[in-house]
Amino acid sequence: MIVTFDGSPVSVIRDTEISVDSPFKETTLLSGKTYIQASPEQKFARTFECYTEVFSEISTLLGKLGSPGTLVIDSDSYTSCYIVPPLKYKELIMGSGKYTYTISFGRHTA
């Protein structure tokens, strides 16, 4: 799987479970009846577990927090995407220069 965000590589080792969500609110009224507010608009969300031996990959992605960009997954492009905080990373063994990180993306659809 080849993934980039705003032209920067995202070194994916595992795609996490894809969850499809949409706005949904269920309310129980005083009468005991159920009132539902829902939208057929699906919420875009993807999370990846990644591995890199180049810390600049992580620092570049950290610099993109809060900025929109195009997320490319293989040959599919998704515009107006954002990195969903937090971007979590850790060095596997101190001083090894080998890092894992977990990154999530959301999409502005309004």
Side-chain angles (χ1 to χ4, degrees), residues 9-109:
V10 178
S11 300
V12 175
I13 57 172
R14 184 174 33 239
D15 189 4
T16 63
E17 179 178 79
I18 297 172
S19 176
V20 179
D21 195 7
S22 64
F24 187 90
K25 182 178 179 185
E26 183 177 324
T27 305
T28 302
L29 303 175
L30 291 175
S31 65
K33 294 184 178 187
T34 302
Y35 177 74
I36 293 178
Q37 291 175 294
S39 169
E41 180 80 26
Q42 292 181 354
K43 181 179 176 184
F44 178 91
R46 293 294 293 268
T47 299
F48 302 103
E49 294 177 10
C50 306
Y51 169 83
T52 187
E53 293 182 11
V54 182
F55 186 77
S56 63
E57 177 177 323
I58 296 169
S59 60
T60 298
L61 292 168
L62 286 169
K64 295 179 185 291
L65 281 169
S67 299
T70 298
L71 176 66
V72 179
I73 303 171
D74 292 327
S75 61
D76 297 323
S77 294
Y78 304 91
T79 58
S80 301
C81 288
Y82 288 83
I83 297 171
V84 177
L87 190 161
K88 299 178 182 179
Y89 68 91
K90 68 178 178 180
E91 191 171 19
L92 292 175
I93 300 171
M94 190 174 218
S96 69
K98 297 176 182 181
Y99 300 88
T100 60
Y101 65 96
T102 301
I103 188 167
S104 297
F105 295 94
R107 188 175 192 193
H108 180 79
T109 57

